[in-house]
Amino acid sequence: MSCIIKKNLLLEGKTKKIYTTNNPIEVLIHHKDDITALNGLKKKLLQDKGILNNEISTLIFKFLNSCGIKTHFIRKKNNREQLCHKVDIIPLEFVVRNIVSGSMSKRLGVREGIDLYNPIFEIFYKNDQLKDPLINDHHAVFLKIISYEELNTIYGIISKINHILKKYFLDKNIILVDFKTEFGRNHKNEILLSDEISPDTCRFWDKITMKKLDKDLFRMEKKEKEEVFDIYMEILKRLNVS
């Protein structure tokens, strides 16, 4: 295993920093302790949250890799950083919904908690100035972000991911309500699952109590940071149980 040397800061987002390495096709992703909601309008520092998300995302990406899903993840480097394949991120967020919740509930006036007969896929255009608007396939192609062929490829991938992760979490008494994914193109122009999968990017409900086990707690008023941290820790504990 070659020695990885962290070099320059390539990009900094709301919850992560990305660094170049001595290998031009690999990067280090550093998980920060920031927790944000409402497109960054609500933001706090949650000590050691980056450590938890790094470990949670590592476990999930390793599992998906083992199931044949191509991801950017190579290995965990330390408690906050992952070594990943360098990709050009496609500026789209793909949301998979299994149960009505969150913005879908508000947007359509449908009560939260209704099971969807078929998963619903949504696309959001990653643009802070426009507040990440909901768009459709034709918008994405018109904006020259992606091709129809690539969209079909991604829909196939996220359908497999959803099938795999629903069972994976259910075995740990967690319902996968919905989740956000991002994809990127590597130096071979292959499409890889990227970013992270964690309580920051998913809605998790306890199978028995239906208690929320994700960042929705932070979105809610009058929730202490300690309670949010404990929920993230609970997810990690469950994932570490065989």
Side-chain angles (χ1 to χ4, degrees):
M1 188 179 297
S2 59
C3 179
I4 300 300
I5 300 172
K6 181 194 290 186
K7 299 185 77 175
N8 302 315
L9 179 65
L10 182 63
L11 182 68
E12 181 169 4
K14 295 183 183 75
T15 62
K16 291 182 289 294
K17 294 179 180 179
I18 301 177
Y19 292 90
T20 60
T21 70
N22 52 315
N23 186 330
I25 61 173
E26 294 177 352
V27 294
L28 281 172
I29 297 181
H30 175 97
H31 291 257
K32 304 192 297 184
D33 284 341
D34 299 276
I35 183 167
T36 68
L38 308 175
N39 282 324
L41 293 178
K42 186 175 182 181
K43 178 178 178 180
K44 286 187 178 180
L45 197 68
L46 186 60
Q47 187 174 354
D48 293 338
K49 174 252 189 185
I51 294 174
L52 294 182
N53 269 8
N54 185 39
E55 184 62 30
I56 291 167
S57 196
T58 289
L59 291 170
I60 296 170
F61 270 97
K62 285 175 71 174
F63 177 69
L64 289 174
N65 281 344
S66 74
C67 293
I69 302 295
K70 290 185 177 182
T71 80
H72 72 160
F73 177 82
I74 299 173
R75 66 177 184 272
K76 186 175 83 169
K77 185 174 186 293
N78 54 47
N79 66 351
R80 285 188 180 273
E81 294 178 330
Q82 298 174 1
L83 180 67
C84 295
H85 298 289
K86 183 180 180 182
V87 298
D88 290 324
I89 287 290
I90 299 168
L92 299 171
E93 294 179 350
F94 293 86
V95 175
V96 182
R97 300 189 184 275
N98 297 308
I99 297 173
V100 175
S101 186
S103 64
M104 179 180 175
S105 174
K106 296 173 183 176
R107 191 168 62 245
L108 301 181
V110 180
R111 70 172 176 83
E112 189 172 85
I114 297 175
D115 286 317
L116 296 168
Y117 182 73
N118 289 312
I120 290 178
F121 300 161
E122 296 177 341
I123 308 177
F124 293 84
Y125 178 29
K126 283 173 60 70
N127 186 307
D128 289 339
Q129 290 183 334
L130 300 177
K131 299 182 179 179
D132 299 346
L134 174 68
I135 63 173
N136 63 32
D137 293 12
H138 306 299
H139 293 139
V141 174
F142 166 72
L143 291 169
K144 298 182 179 179
I145 295 170
I146 198 167
S147 68
Y148 287 114
E149 183 180 3
E150 288 176 319
L151 282 169
N152 287 333
T153 296
I154 288 174
Y155 287 141
I157 295 170
I158 59 177
S159 181
K160 290 178 183 177
I161 292 170
N162 189 41
H163 178 75
I164 291 167
L165 290 186
K166 279 172 65 177
K167 183 179 186 307
Y168 173 74
F169 287 116
L170 202 58
D171 288 344
K172 303 171 189 304
N173 288 322
I174 300 169
I175 296 172
L176 181 60
V177 176
D178 59 41
F179 63 101
K180 172 185 76 75
T181 57
E182 295 187 25
F183 292 83
R185 302 179 184 93
N186 67 6
H187 68 289
K188 297 179 181 178
N189 210 36
E190 297 172 315
I191 292 178
L192 305 181
L193 175 67
S194 305
D195 194 47
E196 66 177 289
I197 298 180
S198 72
D200 274 9
T201 63
C202 304
R203 280 191 174 89
F204 298 129
W205 292 352
D206 182 87
K207 179 183 174 182
I208 308 301
T209 67
M210 305 302 283
K211 179 180 179 181
K212 295 178 186 293
L213 302 173
D214 56 72
K215 194 170 73 170
D216 261 358
L217 282 181
F218 177 68
R219 294 185 181 99
M220 297 164 64
E221 296 295 329
K222 299 180 181 178
K223 292 294 180 180
E224 297 295 329
K225 290 194 294 183
E226 291 77 13
E227 185 175 355
V228 177
F229 183 87
D230 288 345
I231 285 298
Y232 280 53
M233 179 64 79
E234 175 64 21
I235 291 293
L236 179 57
K237 287 179 180 177
R238 295 195 193 189
L239 297 189
N240 272 321
V241 175
S242 302

